[in-house]
mmCIF file of all heavy atoms in Angstrom:
data_model
loop_
_atom_site.group_PDB
_atom_site.id
_atom_site.type_symbol
_atom_site.label_atom_id
_atom_site.label_comp_id
_atom_site.label_asym_id
_atom_site.label_seq_id
_atom_site.Cartn_x
_atom_site.Cartn_y
_atom_site.Cartn_z
ATOM 1 N N LYS A 99 6.375 29.524 7.358
ATOM 2 C CA LYS A 99 6.037 30.700 8.164
ATOM 3 C C LYS A 99 6.541 30.553 9.595
ATOM 4 O O LYS A 99 6.968 31.528 10.224
ATOM 5 C CB LYS A 99 4.520 30.921 8.163
ATOM 6 C CG LYS A 99 3.977 31.406 6.835
ATOM 7 C CD LYS A 99 2.460 31.526 6.888
ATOM 8 C CE LYS A 99 1.880 31.934 5.545
ATOM 9 N NZ LYS A 99 0.398 31.971 5.571
ATOM 10 N N LEU A 100 6.479 29.333 10.114
ATOM 11 C CA LEU A 100 6.894 29.084 11.493
ATOM 12 C C LEU A 100 8.411 29.083 11.646
ATOM 13 O O LEU A 100 8.926 29.480 12.691
ATOM 14 C CB LEU A 100 6.327 27.743 11.977
ATOM 15 C CG LEU A 100 4.814 27.692 12.186
ATOM 16 C CD1 LEU A 100 4.362 26.254 12.403
ATOM 17 C CD2 LEU A 100 4.403 28.561 13.371
ATOM 18 N N ASP A 101 9.114 28.623 10.623
ATOM 19 C CA ASP A 101 10.576 28.517 10.703
ATOM 20 C C ASP A 101 11.163 28.629 9.302
ATOM 21 O O ASP A 101 11.003 27.724 8.485
ATOM 22 C CB ASP A 101 10.979 27.180 11.348
ATOM 23 C CG ASP A 101 12.472 27.102 11.633
ATOM 24 O OD1 ASP A 101 13.255 27.889 11.061
ATOM 25 O OD2 ASP A 101 12.865 26.225 12.430
ATOM 26 N N LYS A 102 11.846 29.728 9.025
ATOM 27 C CA LYS A 102 12.385 29.983 7.685
ATOM 28 C C LYS A 102 13.445 28.959 7.277
ATOM 29 O O LYS A 102 13.742 28.816 6.086
ATOM 30 C CB LYS A 102 12.977 31.389 7.602
ATOM 31 C CG LYS A 102 14.178 31.618 8.504
ATOM 32 C CD LYS A 102 14.689 33.044 8.383
ATOM 33 C CE LYS A 102 15.906 33.256 9.269
ATOM 34 N NZ LYS A 102 16.419 34.647 9.165
ATOM 35 N N ASP A 103 14.011 28.226 8.238
ATOM 36 C CA ASP A 103 15.000 27.197 7.897
ATOM 37 C C ASP A 103 14.393 26.074 7.056
ATOM 38 O O ASP A 103 15.125 25.327 6.400
ATOM 39 C CB ASP A 103 15.633 26.610 9.161
ATOM 40 C CG ASP A 103 16.609 27.582 9.820
ATOM 41 O OD1 ASP A 103 17.026 28.545 9.159
ATOM 42 O OD2 ASP A 103 16.940 27.375 11.004
ATOM 43 N N PHE A 104 13.080 25.947 7.092
ATOM 44 C CA PHE A 104 12.405 24.922 6.294
ATOM 45 C C PHE A 104 12.047 25.421 4.895
ATOM 46 O O PHE A 104 11.563 24.643 4.073
ATOM 47 C CB PHE A 104 11.131 24.447 7.002
ATOM 48 C CG PHE A 104 11.388 23.557 8.180
ATOM 49 C CD1 PHE A 104 11.458 24.078 9.461
ATOM 50 C CD2 PHE A 104 11.584 22.192 8.018
ATOM 51 C CE1 PHE A 104 11.704 23.256 10.554
ATOM 52 C CE2 PHE A 104 11.826 21.362 9.100
ATOM 53 C CZ PHE A 104 11.893 21.895 10.371
ATOM 54 N N ALA A 105 12.288 26.710 4.624
ATOM 55 C CA ALA A 105 11.760 27.320 3.407
ATOM 56 C C ALA A 105 12.306 26.688 2.130
ATOM 57 O O ALA A 105 11.543 26.375 1.209
ATOM 58 C CB ALA A 105 12.026 28.823 3.411
ATOM 59 N N ALA A 106 13.626 26.522 2.042
ATOM 60 C CA ALA A 106 14.221 26.029 0.797
ATOM 61 C C ALA A 106 13.685 24.647 0.436
ATOM 62 O O ALA A 106 13.278 24.401 -0.713
ATOM 63 C CB ALA A 106 15.745 26.004 0.901
ATOM 64 N N GLU A 107 13.658 23.751 1.406
ATOM 65 C CA GLU A 107 13.195 22.382 1.132
ATOM 66 C C GLU A 107 11.689 22.360 0.892
ATOM 67 O O GLU A 107 11.203 21.616 0.028
ATOM 68 C CB GLU A 107 13.577 21.451 2.273
ATOM 69 C CG GLU A 107 13.435 19.986 1.924
ATOM 70 C CD GLU A 107 14.004 19.058 2.982
ATOM 71 O OE1 GLU A 107 14.660 19.543 3.926
ATOM 72 O OE2 GLU A 107 13.789 17.835 2.861
ATOM 73 N N ALA A 108 10.951 23.166 1.664
ATOM 74 C CA ALA A 108 9.498 23.210 1.484
ATOM 75 C C ALA A 108 9.144 23.724 0.089
ATOM 76 O O ALA A 108 8.268 23.168 -0.587
ATOM 77 C CB ALA A 108 8.862 24.093 2.553
ATOM 78 N N LEU A 109 9.820 24.785 -0.358
ATOM 79 C CA LEU A 109 9.557 25.333 -1.690
ATOM 80 C C LEU A 109 9.907 24.327 -2.786
ATOM 81 O O LEU A 109 9.204 24.222 -3.793
ATOM 82 C CB LEU A 109 10.342 26.626 -1.883
ATOM 83 C CG LEU A 109 9.788 27.839 -1.144
ATOM 84 C CD1 LEU A 109 10.841 28.944 -1.047
ATOM 85 C CD2 LEU A 109 8.532 28.366 -1.833
ATOM 86 N N ASN A 110 11.001 23.589 -2.587
ATOM 87 C CA ASN A 110 11.343 22.550 -3.551
ATOM 88 C C ASN A 110 10.247 21.490 -3.622
ATOM 89 O O ASN A 110 9.831 21.073 -4.715
ATOM 90 C CB ASN A 110 12.665 21.893 -3.167
ATOM 91 C CG ASN A 110 12.971 20.684 -4.035
ATOM 92 O OD1 ASN A 110 13.218 20.804 -5.220
ATOM 93 N ND2 ASN A 110 12.936 19.503 -3.438
ATOM 94 N N ASN A 111 9.752 21.070 -2.462
ATOM 95 C CA ASN A 111 8.707 20.044 -2.436
ATOM 96 C C ASN A 111 7.399 20.557 -3.037
ATOM 97 O O ASN A 111 6.675 19.815 -3.712
ATOM 98 C CB ASN A 111 8.493 19.547 -1.013
ATOM 99 C CG ASN A 111 9.687 18.753 -0.501
ATOM 100 O OD1 ASN A 111 10.593 18.426 -1.258
ATOM 101 N ND2 ASN A 111 9.697 18.459 0.790
ATOM 102 N N ILE A 112 7.101 21.832 -2.795
ATOM 103 C CA ILE A 112 5.924 22.448 -3.424
ATOM 104 C C ILE A 112 6.109 22.464 -4.941
ATOM 105 O O ILE A 112 5.167 22.185 -5.698
ATOM 106 C CB ILE A 112 5.698 23.874 -2.872
ATOM 107 C CG1 ILE A 112 5.204 23.801 -1.420
ATOM 108 C CG2 ILE A 112 4.693 24.636 -3.728
ATOM 109 C CD1 ILE A 112 5.189 25.137 -0.700
ATOM 110 N N GLY A 113 7.331 22.768 -5.388
ATOM 111 C CA GLY A 113 7.622 22.711 -6.817
ATOM 112 C C GLY A 113 7.371 21.326 -7.384
ATOM 113 O O GLY A 113 6.796 21.176 -8.474
ATOM 114 N N ASN A 114 7.779 20.301 -6.639
ATOM 115 C CA ASN A 114 7.540 18.921 -7.079
ATOM 116 C C ASN A 114 6.046 18.622 -7.193
ATOM 117 O O ASN A 114 5.600 17.951 -8.135
ATOM 118 C CB ASN A 114 8.190 17.933 -6.106
ATOM 119 C CG ASN A 114 9.702 17.974 -6.152
ATOM 120 O OD1 ASN A 114 10.298 18.410 -7.137
ATOM 121 N ND2 ASN A 114 10.345 17.524 -5.089
ATOM 122 N N ILE A 115 5.279 19.126 -6.228
ATOM 123 C CA ILE A 115 3.824 18.915 -6.257
ATOM 124 C C ILE A 115 3.221 19.598 -7.475
ATOM 125 O O ILE A 115 2.401 19.012 -8.201
ATOM 126 C CB ILE A 115 3.178 19.433 -4.959
ATOM 127 C CG1 ILE A 115 3.524 18.501 -3.796
ATOM 128 C CG2 ILE A 115 1.657 19.546 -5.109
ATOM 129 C CD1 ILE A 115 3.114 19.026 -2.430
ATOM 130 N N TYR A 116 3.614 20.833 -7.720
ATOM 131 C CA TYR A 116 3.092 21.549 -8.890
ATOM 132 C C TYR A 116 3.462 20.827 -10.181
ATOM 133 O O TYR A 116 2.660 20.747 -11.119
ATOM 134 C CB TYR A 116 3.624 22.981 -8.921
ATOM 135 C CG TYR A 116 3.000 23.924 -7.922
ATOM 136 C CD1 TYR A 116 3.751 24.929 -7.320
ATOM 137 C CD2 TYR A 116 1.653 23.822 -7.584
ATOM 138 C CE1 TYR A 116 3.190 25.812 -6.407
ATOM 139 C CE2 TYR A 116 1.080 24.695 -6.668
ATOM 140 C CZ TYR A 116 1.851 25.691 -6.084
ATOM 141 O OH TYR A 116 1.276 26.558 -5.192
ATOM 142 N N LYS A 117 4.676 20.293 -10.235
ATOM 143 C CA LYS A 117 5.107 19.569 -11.440
ATOM 144 C C LYS A 117 4.242 18.326 -11.644
ATOM 145 O O LYS A 117 3.766 18.055 -12.756
ATOM 146 C CB LYS A 117 6.579 19.177 -11.331
ATOM 147 C CG LYS A 117 7.113 18.433 -12.555
ATOM 148 C CD LYS A 117 8.588 18.074 -12.385
ATOM 149 C CE LYS A 117 9.103 17.344 -13.614
ATOM 150 N NZ LYS A 117 8.421 16.056 -13.835
ATOM 151 N N ILE A 118 4.046 17.552 -10.573
ATOM 152 C CA ILE A 118 3.247 16.325 -10.657
ATOM 153 C C ILE A 118 1.820 16.627 -11.101
ATOM 154 O O ILE A 118 1.218 15.860 -11.866
ATOM 155 C CB ILE A 118 3.243 15.602 -9.298
ATOM 156 C CG1 ILE A 118 4.625 15.005 -9.002
ATOM 157 C CG2 ILE A 118 2.184 14.506 -9.242
ATOM 158 C CD1 ILE A 118 4.807 14.559 -7.567
ATOM 159 N N THR A 119 1.288 17.760 -10.648
ATOM 160 C CA THR A 119 -0.108 18.101 -10.949
ATOM 161 C C THR A 119 -0.237 18.936 -12.221
ATOM 162 O O THR A 119 -1.320 19.456 -12.513
ATOM 163 C CB THR A 119 -0.748 18.837 -9.761
ATOM 164 O OG1 THR A 119 0.050 19.986 -9.415
ATOM 165 C CG2 THR A 119 -0.858 17.925 -8.553
ATOM 166 N N GLY A 120 0.856 19.070 -12.967
ATOM 167 C CA GLY A 120 0.802 19.733 -14.264
ATOM 168 C C GLY A 120 0.813 21.247 -14.230
ATOM 169 O O GLY A 120 0.574 21.892 -15.255
ATOM 170 N N GLN A 121 1.127 21.826 -13.064
ATOM 171 C CA GLN A 121 1.173 23.291 -12.944
ATOM 172 C C GLN A 121 2.623 23.759 -13.163
ATOM 173 O O GLN A 121 3.324 24.144 -12.233
ATOM 174 C CB GLN A 121 0.653 23.710 -11.579
ATOM 175 C CG GLN A 121 -0.787 23.261 -11.317
ATOM 176 C CD GLN A 121 -1.236 23.527 -9.901
ATOM 177 O OE1 GLN A 121 -1.488 24.670 -9.512
ATOM 178 N NE2 GLN A 121 -1.334 22.468 -9.096
ATOM 179 N N VAL A 122 3.017 23.723 -14.430
ATOM 180 C CA VAL A 122 4.434 23.889 -14.767
ATOM 181 C C VAL A 122 4.960 25.270 -14.401
ATOM 182 O O VAL A 122 6.076 25.399 -13.851
ATOM 183 C CB VAL A 122 4.662 23.595 -16.269
ATOM 184 C CG1 VAL A 122 6.117 23.857 -16.657
ATOM 185 C CG2 VAL A 122 4.292 22.145 -16.577
ATOM 186 N N LYS A 123 4.215 26.306 -14.696
ATOM 187 C CA LYS A 123 4.670 27.673 -14.387
ATOM 188 C C LYS A 123 4.835 27.874 -12.882
ATOM 189 O O LYS A 123 5.800 28.488 -12.417
ATOM 190 C CB LYS A 123 3.685 28.695 -14.956
ATOM 191 C CG LYS A 123 3.701 28.801 -16.470
ATOM 192 C CD LYS A 123 5.016 29.389 -16.955
ATOM 193 C CE LYS A 123 5.013 29.581 -18.456
ATOM 194 N NZ LYS A 123 6.338 30.058 -18.942
ATOM 195 N N ASP A 124 3.884 27.351 -12.118
ATOM 196 C CA ASP A 124 3.974 27.462 -10.655
ATOM 197 C C ASP A 124 5.155 26.639 -10.128
ATOM 198 O O ASP A 124 5.822 27.054 -9.173
ATOM 199 C CB ASP A 124 2.674 26.997 -9.998
ATOM 200 C CG ASP A 124 1.532 27.964 -10.221
ATOM 201 O OD1 ASP A 124 1.800 29.177 -10.353
ATOM 202 O OD2 ASP A 124 0.370 27.520 -10.269
ATOM 203 N N ALA A 125 5.399 25.497 -10.738
ATOM 204 C CA ALA A 125 6.544 24.674 -10.343
ATOM 205 C C ALA A 125 7.835 25.430 -10.577
ATOM 206 O O ALA A 125 8.727 25.462 -9.711
ATOM 207 C CB ALA A 125 6.554 23.363 -11.129
#
Side-chain angles (χ1 to χ4, degrees):
K99 289 177 183 177
L100 290 169
D101 188 342
K102 64 181 181 180
D103 287 343
F104 286 94
E107 194 172 351
L109 285 163
N110 172 67
N111 291 350
I112 289 170
N114 291 338
I115 288 171
Y116 285 145
K117 181 180 180 297
I118 290 167
T119 55
Q121 301 173 73
V122 176
K123 289 292 184 184
D124 289 330

